[in-house]
Amino acid sequence: MKILVCVTSVPDTTTKIAFTDNNTKLNKAGVAFITGPYDDYALARAVELKEKLGASVTVLNVGEADAEPVIRKCLAIGADDAFRVNAEPTDSYFVAEQIAAIAKENNYDLILMGRESIDYNGGQVHGIVGEMLGIPSISPVMLLDIEGDVAKITREIEGGKEELEAKLPLVLGCQEPIAEWKIPNMRGIMTARTKPLRVVEPVGTDKLTAVGSYELPAPRGAVKMIKADEAETLIQLLRTEAKVI
């Protein structure tokens, strides 16, 4: 069984974000990058399936050279090898096209990725990859087991959960609690240095979208404390200042 795990390299959630080039690009100076948290869940489950079923796990990242520490960490956690498509991942269709091209060449049984990245939060790539490959795409997946060529899946739906069965190959967008995040041990870190990391050039069309500009959220306003016995004052402020009622 061959598993492909697609990962993103994203700013740490505690990073203070700033922009450059007239607010069209992220200023990467001083920014710490991590594996996308939802991608971490996908990788953790892939490593568990590797240990259980004897599967091979390949990591794929569409990104520039500064993403390689994130890829090496994925190898340290338990992936066997990796691809890096040498391109900036700014367009969902473009990223999906790169994933589909690698998948077609290598005939993976299962393609896992996070339900969304935490930088653009598009949640589109898994669906586009499934369409490009002509195979089912399911998201967000909370539980996953494999029996033969059948995946048993629990996914979150509005107001509840849905249990599904689907034949491989599949594309799945993952979220908690599909697996526990894994921390690389010293042996994993050492062996990751010698695992194959192939850099390939992008294929297909140019990016179909471009960023006009980014804007930071408005700063938080001042907090007004209202005494518990002044309900009328609170209601008045909600109407006239907050304008939420």
Side-chain angles (χ1 to χ4, degrees), residues 4-129:
L4 178 67
V5 182
C6 307
V7 301
T8 53
S9 175
V10 298
D12 189 293
T13 52
T14 61
T15 296
K16 291 186 177 180
I17 298 299
F19 303 110
T20 186
D21 289 0
N22 198 27
N23 291 333
T24 60
K25 290 185 178 180
L26 171 69
N27 185 351
K28 295 183 179 181
V31 175
F33 284 84
I34 61 171
T35 309
Y38 292 117
D39 303 328
D40 262 330
Y41 288 117
L43 176 62
R45 188 58 184 142
V47 171
E48 291 174 352
L49 292 173
K50 171 186 173 180
E51 295 167 352
K52 179 181 178 181
L53 304 174
S56 65
V57 177
T58 298
V59 166
L60 169 60
N61 169 261
V62 180
E64 297 173 315
D66 56 9
E68 292 196 2
V70 165
I71 301 171
R72 287 292 178 191
K73 181 181 177 183
C74 295
L75 293 171
I77 287 171
D80 299 297
D81 60 349
F83 287 97
R84 179 174 68 82
V85 179
N86 189 31
E88 186 179 4
T90 57
D91 180 279
S92 294
Y93 188 92
F94 176 80
V95 170
E97 197 167 27
Q98 310 315 308
I99 296 170
I102 297 291
K104 287 176 182 177
E105 290 179 1
N106 295 276
N107 297 315
Y108 295 102
D109 301 291
L110 184 61
I111 301 173
L112 302 180
M113 61 187 74
R115 61 176 288 178
E116 62 185 9
S117 64
I118 64 165
D119 48 6
Y120 291 96
N121 298 97
Q124 300 175 356
V125 172
H126 40 74
I128 301 173
V129 171

Side-chain angles (χ1 to χ4, degrees), residues 182-193:
K182 296 185 180 298
I183 299 173
N185 55 33
M186 184 55 66
R187 181 182 178 186
I189 293 170
M190 297 299 291
T191 57
R193 298 176 181 176

Side-chain angles (χ1 to χ4, degrees), residues 183-236:
I183 299 173
N185 55 33
M186 184 55 66
R187 181 182 178 186
I189 293 170
M190 297 299 291
T191 57
R193 298 176 181 176
T194 60
K195 290 181 178 179
L197 196 174
R198 285 162 281 183
V199 179
V200 298
E201 293 304 312
V203 299
T205 60
D206 293 332
K207 300 177 182 67
L208 301 181
T209 61
V211 174
S213 67
Y214 294 108
E215 293 182 10
L216 292 173
R220 292 184 179 181
V223 175
K224 291 186 177 181
M225 304 298 293
I226 309 299
K227 293 181 180 180
D229 59 353
E230 296 182 0
E232 291 185 3
T233 301
L234 174 60
I235 293 170
Q236 183 66 17

Side-chain angles (χ1 to χ4, degrees), residues 153-170:
I153 296 161
T154 300
R155 72 165 181 160
E156 185 177 15
I157 59 173
E158 185 174 355
K161 302 174 183 178
E162 182 178 49
E163 294 184 354
L164 304 169
E165 291 188 4
K167 294 195 69 173
L168 303 178
L170 289 172

